[in-house]
Amino acid sequence: MGPSIVIIFALCGFLSGQPIEPISVEDCCKDGKDRGLQRQDCTALPLISESTTCRIAQEQCCAAVLEDTACTNGINAAKDQGACESLLSESTCETKTAKSCCDCCLLGKAAQEQGLGCDVSLTVGYQCGLVFRACCVDGNPESEATANTTAVPAKGNLNPNEGDDPLLSDQCKGAETCQQRCTGNGTCSCFKGYRMKLDQKNCEDINECLLGSHHCRVGERCINTLGSYRCQREVSCGTGYELTDSNNCKDIDECETGTHNCVAEFECQNTLGSFRCHPRVKCGDGFIQDALGSCIDINECLSESVPCASGQVCLNTVGSYTCQRNTINCGRGYHLNEEAMRCTDVNECSGSDTPCEGHTCINLVGTFRCDCKSGFNFNSLTRTCEDINECRHFPGRLCAHKCENVQGSYECSCMVGFQLAADGRNCNDLNECESNPCSQECANVYGSYQCYCRRGYQLSDIDGITCEDIDECALPTGGHICAYRCDNTPGSFQCTCPSPGYTLASNGRSCQDIDECVTGSHGCSDAETCFNVQGGFRCLSFECPPNYRRAGETSQINQADTVRCVKSCQPNDITCILDPIHSISHTFISLPTFREQPMLEEIVFLRTMSLGQSSTSDIIFNILEGNLQDSFDIIKRFENGRIVGVVRQVKPIIGPVDVALKLAMNYVTSGAVSHQNIVKVNVFISEFWF
């Protein structure tokens, strides 16, 4: 019979069916303190009771532990490091509490070092005041005796008078002036674990945990109490243990408390920190017990020590076994002879249905083997001929590109753009251009081909072989290809100019003005003068007004020519003589329509013979008439020591339009205009920018 099995189960956290006792407020507070020691979030504690009072006790006791721990860390930082910067790594509430206690402790130490005393009245919070006085007193050598008296008194060692009613043994028994004890002559004192307040009558508890005067061991946490303190273990005892009042870990007997999870068929056995479940029913010989306590039959025939003698066969039974005499059993590849006395070899290769399936079969004693054809291997386990995958066994050595396995052999193939060579293994480049796949030009490349187009065409983005005409006129730079108008043509473009008046330049893009006055294609009469303008011409005829005569004769008026009429008065014509206008001049200018006005365009220069401005004479230029929308202005400039009036176009004017400007050159002497010259400028603006 097999040995019994002991099953160990994990401890579960509850026992179903037990009555639930109400939880006291002290237990709720204790749970909150324990979770505070574990630095859990006090605002999201798992509730141990549905009572609101219990939840509040949990949260407040947890918060008190965290605040007390944080304050102690701050005081220790102030004492050990003398600074609080190390507490600024986070911005949590605990860090703020530690920082506040650290600052208050530094304030107390500073007061003690400066001799201000520890009872300085500062407007600080209650907790800050306690920390201030604690660190101040702790730094005063005279207060060491008082601080050392706050050690934890052992239970049972209290002075009987102090433990029962300290006032009974006091020299001022029944006095109302002292809160705890009177030493005579109206002087008050405090019990051990307390110290005197500023009024020298009342006593306050000494926080030994804040002062560091406790005697808690490593791994224990100091918790202040009224008049004393206690040490509590920081690390929990772990699963299966509980913390006793003496601060030691004690094993929990789950079997006694009923907190085990053994089923009815098992009994509980307590162990240190856990328990075990043992089956109640014991199995008999020939059986073994499983994890659920069931009895399973043991197959004795499979054991290492064969229970039957040589020449016998073991047969398993339920709970036992039997031995029988051995009979002849021929192995694979053998069979009994006709007399059934011995085993003889089986010839697997005889007959029409051989196991080698088309390959040569060779019989062996007790077995056979196949002599496989080329491209096959004999598998000794399956005893069949298996195809050899030449492509996998010889990668990259059989075919130049791709290798594909077939039964008993392999085949090579090529990638797109290549064709199989005569040896059946290598690949030659295929000249796709021979089949004219491109619409225009084709260039063969290794393994492929590239289509390209003639000038004025571009390759289609859709199929990559068709050439499409490039509309040069529609390109972003199409507006700058032709000066006037661009007409797209297959593979190119053609520029045209406005007609009549312009002709296409030799570069095939710009437009040139036709000078009708030179070619004689104008229609001016003999009495008129032809003046060429941008895109046309004007037939001009000027006559001097009465009392004026033309200075010189101009048969043809060019862009730089000026027709000038000077005053010629008759004798005794006082009105003519007193007329301040000495001359009237006509000049002509042809301008294009400026697309933009990036800078001021200077169009007319009025040159005088004056050698510059003097203290008694000056020349003033102004525009009298024809300044369309204030598109022109006139300025005075000095060039080579002489005064020059410059007419400028300051705003763009969209043509075609003719502008007649009337300019005045006023000669001023001693503050009065002595005479003036009138200049009439005819500005012919074309509708085009060229």
Side-chain angles (χ1 to χ4, degrees):
M1 175 194 285
S4 62
I5 299 177
V6 178
I7 312 300
I8 300 178
F9 290 91
L11 179 62
C12 295
F14 62 90
L15 180 64
S16 61
Q18 295 291 336
I20 301 176
E21 297 182 359
I23 300 176
S24 65
V25 178
E26 289 79 6
D27 293 337
C28 297
C29 182
K30 180 178 181 301
D31 181 78
K33 289 181 179 180
D34 294 339
R35 298 186 184 277
L37 292 174
Q38 299 172 10
R39 301 186 64 84
Q40 296 186 14
D41 186 2
C42 298
T43 61
L45 297 177
L47 302 180
I48 61 175
S49 173
E50 297 181 354
S51 171
T52 304
T53 304
C54 182
R55 176 185 62 78
I56 296 174
Q58 275 186 283
E59 294 181 357
Q60 295 303 318
C61 292
C62 174
V65 169
L66 292 180
E67 184 177 359
D68 193 11
T69 302
C71 191
T72 302
N73 294 336
I75 294 175
N76 292 336
K79 290 182 179 180
D80 298 339
Q81 304 175 10
C84 306
E85 285 73 11
S86 61
L87 303 174
L88 299 178
S89 59
E90 298 178 2
S91 60
T92 62
C93 182
E94 297 178 31
T95 304
K96 294 179 180 178
T97 302
K99 176 69 168 56
S100 176
C101 291
C102 180
D103 291 339
C104 295
C105 183
L106 291 178
L107 190 61
K109 292 178 65 179
Q112 188 275 328
E113 293 173 355
Q114 297 175 10
L116 301 178
C118 300
D119 298 326
V120 177
S121 178
L122 299 177
T123 307
V124 295
Y126 177 73
Q127 184 183 29
C128 185
L130 292 178
V131 175
F132 172 87
R133 285 190 289 275
C135 291
C136 179
V137 172
D138 187 51
N140 190 351
E142 296 179 357
S143 63
E144 289 184 1
T146 304
N148 292 334
T149 61
T150 60
V152 180
K155 290 186 177 181
N157 293 337
L158 293 173
N159 189 304
N161 295 330
E162 294 178 355
D164 297 331
D165 186 5
L167 295 176
L168 294 178
S169 60
D170 197 287
Q171 297 181 11
C172 305
K173 180 171 62 178
E176 298 179 357
T177 57
C178 298
Q179 182 186 24
Q180 291 189 358
R181 185 164 53 191
C182 177
T183 58
N185 298 326
T187 302
C188 299
S189 62
C190 298
F191 299 143
K192 184 181 298 184
Y194 295 86
R195 63 183 173 190
M196 190 65 65
K197 289 187 177 181
L198 296 178
D199 57 6
Q200 299 298 320
K201 294 180 181 181
N202 295 309
C203 298
E204 64 180 0
D205 172 58
I206 297 175
N207 192 332
E208 295 83 359
C209 300
L210 288 178
L211 295 175
S213 59
H214 58 84
H215 296 283
C216 295
R217 297 170 295 182
V218 176
E220 295 180 337
R221 179 177 175 272
C222 176
I223 300 177
N224 185 59
T225 60
L226 286 176
S228 183
Y229 66 91
R230 64 186 178 90
C231 300
Q232 180 172 317
R233 181 186 181 98
E234 290 185 343
V235 182
S236 62
C237 293
T239 305
Y241 295 88
E242 62 181 352
L243 190 65
T244 63
D245 294 337
S246 60
N247 209 31
N248 295 320
C249 292
K250 175 184 176 183
D251 172 59
I252 299 175
D253 190 344
E254 294 83 2
C255 301
E256 182 179 349
T257 59
T259 57
H260 62 84
N261 60 348
C262 297
V263 295
E265 292 80 6
F266 291 79
E267 59 182 0
C268 176
Q269 178 184 357
N270 186 60
T271 61
L272 287 178
S274 185
F275 62 93
R276 293 187 178 183
C277 297
H278 295 281
R280 298 181 184 275
V281 178
K282 307 299 180 182
C283 296
D285 295 339
F287 294 89
I288 189 173
Q289 207 158 25
D290 62 5
L292 299 179
S294 302
C295 295
I296 306 300
D297 173 55
I298 300 174
N299 190 344
E300 295 83 358
C301 298
L302 299 179
S303 60
E304 295 182 359
S305 56
V306 180
C308 297
S310 179
Q312 292 183 335
V313 177
C314 176
L315 298 177
N316 184 60
T317 60
V318 178
S320 184
Y321 65 94
T322 59
C323 295
Q324 293 183 355
R325 180 179 294 277
N326 189 16
T327 58
I328 297 176
N329 185 17
C330 296
R332 183 177 180 179
Y334 295 89
H335 61 119
L336 285 173
N337 58 5
E338 295 179 356
E339 293 80 12
M341 295 296 296
R342 60 188 182 88
C343 295
T344 60
D345 173 59
V346 175
N347 187 357
E348 295 86 354
C349 297
S350 62
S352 58
D353 188 14
T354 62
C356 292
E357 298 180 353
H359 301 273
T360 303
C361 179
I362 301 175
N363 184 60
L364 300 174
V365 178
T367 183
F368 69 96
R369 69 177 179 86
C370 297
D371 189 6
C372 303
K373 299 177 182 178
S374 176
F376 293 88
N377 271 338
F378 179 69
N379 189 327
S380 59
L381 296 179
T382 61
R383 296 186 175 278
T384 58
C385 289
E386 296 179 347
D387 173 56
I388 300 174
N389 191 336
E390 295 87 355
C391 299
R392 185 171 58 189
H393 282 76
F394 310 101
R397 296 167 57 184
L398 301 177
C399 300
H401 284 185
K402 295 186 291 185
C403 177
E404 182 180 359
N405 185 64
V406 295
Q407 284 292 322
S409 184
Y410 64 93
E411 292 180 354
C412 295
S413 59
C414 299
M415 293 184 293
V416 177
F418 295 89
Q419 58 185 358
L420 197 64
D423 58 4
R425 299 176 58 185
N426 293 309
C427 294
N428 296 331
D429 175 51
L430 178 64
N431 189 354
E432 296 86 353
C433 295
E434 294 179 352
S435 60
N436 298 322
C438 303
S439 64
Q440 287 189 0
E441 304 297 333
C442 176
N444 185 60
V445 294
Y446 188 72
S448 183
Y449 65 96
Q450 179 66 48
C451 295
Y452 63 96
C453 302
R454 304 184 188 100
R455 184 176 181 180
Y457 293 88
Q458 62 183 359
L459 205 59
S460 171
D461 294 334
I462 299 176
D463 56 14
I465 60 176
T466 303
C467 291
E468 300 174 345
D469 173 55
I470 298 175
D471 188 353
E472 295 84 357
C473 301
L475 295 176
T477 58
H480 302 284
I481 293 178
C482 297
Y484 177 61
R485 179 175 296 163
C486 178
D487 296 322
N488 186 61
T489 60
S492 184
F493 65 94
Q494 185 175 0
C495 297
T496 58
C497 296
S499 179
Y502 292 93
T503 183
L504 195 64
S506 58
N507 60 8
R509 299 187 179 187
S510 303
C511 291
Q512 288 182 340
D513 173 57
I514 299 175
D515 192 342
E516 294 85 355
C517 298
V518 174
T519 61
S521 58
H522 61 85
C524 298
S525 64
D526 295 337
E528 295 175 326
T529 301
C530 178
F531 177 73
N532 185 63
V533 297
Q534 297 288 331
F537 63 93
R538 295 288 188 276
C539 295
L540 304 177
S541 177
F542 294 99
E543 296 294 335
C544 292
N547 296 325
Y548 289 89
R549 62 176 176 82
R550 180 177 292 190
E553 292 294 334
T554 304
S555 60
Q556 181 177 349
I557 301 176
N558 296 319
Q559 185 170 351
D561 292 339
T562 301
V563 177
R564 185 167 180 265
C565 297
V566 298
K567 185 168 66 173
S568 177
C569 299
Q570 297 295 326
N572 301 322
D573 190 348
I574 302 302
T575 303
C576 176
I577 294 172
L578 295 179
D579 188 357
I581 301 176
H582 284 193
S583 67
I584 300 174
S585 301
H586 296 269
T587 188
F588 320 96
I589 185 171
S590 177
L591 297 176
T593 294
F594 294 108
R595 290 181 173 177
E596 300 175 354
Q597 196 75 22
M599 58 185 295
L600 302 179
E601 189 74 20
E602 298 178 350
I603 60 175
V604 178
F605 296 88
L606 304 179
R607 305 184 187 277
T608 67
M609 300 302 293
S610 177
L611 296 177
Q613 184 177 0
S614 66
S615 60
T616 59
S617 63
D618 192 9
I619 298 178
I620 299 175
F621 301 92
N622 52 22
I623 301 176
L624 300 179
E625 298 176 2
N627 194 357
L628 181 65
Q629 299 179 356
D630 294 330
S631 300
F632 303 91
D633 70 355
I634 186 168
I635 62 173
K636 184 168 60 176
R637 182 186 299 166
F638 295 92
E639 293 183 359
N640 300 323
R642 299 184 183 275
I643 299 176
V644 179
V646 181
V647 179
R648 304 180 300 178
Q649 182 180 348
V650 296
K651 293 182 180 179
I653 301 176
I654 306 300
V657 65
D658 295 346
V659 179
L661 293 177
K662 184 176 181 180
L663 311 177
M665 301 169 58
N666 301 294
Y667 292 83
V668 180
T669 303
S670 299
V673 177
S674 61
H675 65 276
Q676 64 178 180
N677 293 334
I678 301 299
V679 179
K680 295 183 178 181
V681 181
N682 293 277
V683 183
F684 304 106
I685 300 177
S686 170
E687 66 174 308
F688 305 107
W689 63 273
F690 43 82

